[in-house]
Amino acid sequence: MIAVYMNPESMTKAQYDQIAAKVMAGGPPPAELKHHSCFGEDPKLMIYDVWESQAVWDGFWQRLQPLFDEAGVKDANPITMPVVDMIQP
């Protein structure tokens, strides 16, 4: 599993909502997405995901990146790293 962290220069709630609506209009995210969260304070929202593999994330990012660009979110620059442990109650 991998963690994906995005801390763009700026992302508002309106921009996030625009991206999320377009993602869902294209069908739900792949089942390999194990966790998604958007957090922070407007206009500095961040994203943290957990994916089953780098390959699945890479494929989804190809779908997602143009939506970030279209919404005007700059420098999303996803950082990926291995998940060492994940606790789910």
Side-chain angles (χ1 to χ4, degrees):
M1 278 195 285
I2 64 157
V4 178
Y5 174 66
M6 287 184 262
N7 184 8
E9 182 180 304
S10 174
M11 181 168 58
T12 66
K13 175 84 165 68
Q15 287 171 311
Y16 175 79
D17 289 345
Q18 176 185 333
I19 294 165
K22 290 187 177 185
V23 166
M24 296 311 288
E32 294 86 358
L33 173 62
K34 299 304 175 189
H35 172 84
H36 170 78
S37 57
C38 179
F39 60 97
E41 294 185 19
D42 199 348
K44 186 73 174 114
L45 298 180
M46 295 163 268
I47 292 176
Y48 174 75
D49 287 349
V50 175
W51 289 83
E52 276 191 11
S53 72
Q54 183 74 49
V56 174
W57 159 251
D58 290 343
F60 189 71
W61 180 239
Q62 295 303 311
R63 175 179 160 195
L64 192 59
Q65 185 174 16
L67 301 179
F68 272 74
D69 293 341
E70 185 179 308
V73 176
K74 306 277 189 253
D75 299 322
N77 300 327
I79 299 169
T80 63
M81 60 210 88
V83 171
V84 174
D85 189 21
M86 189 167 91
I87 299 171
Q88 297 177 313

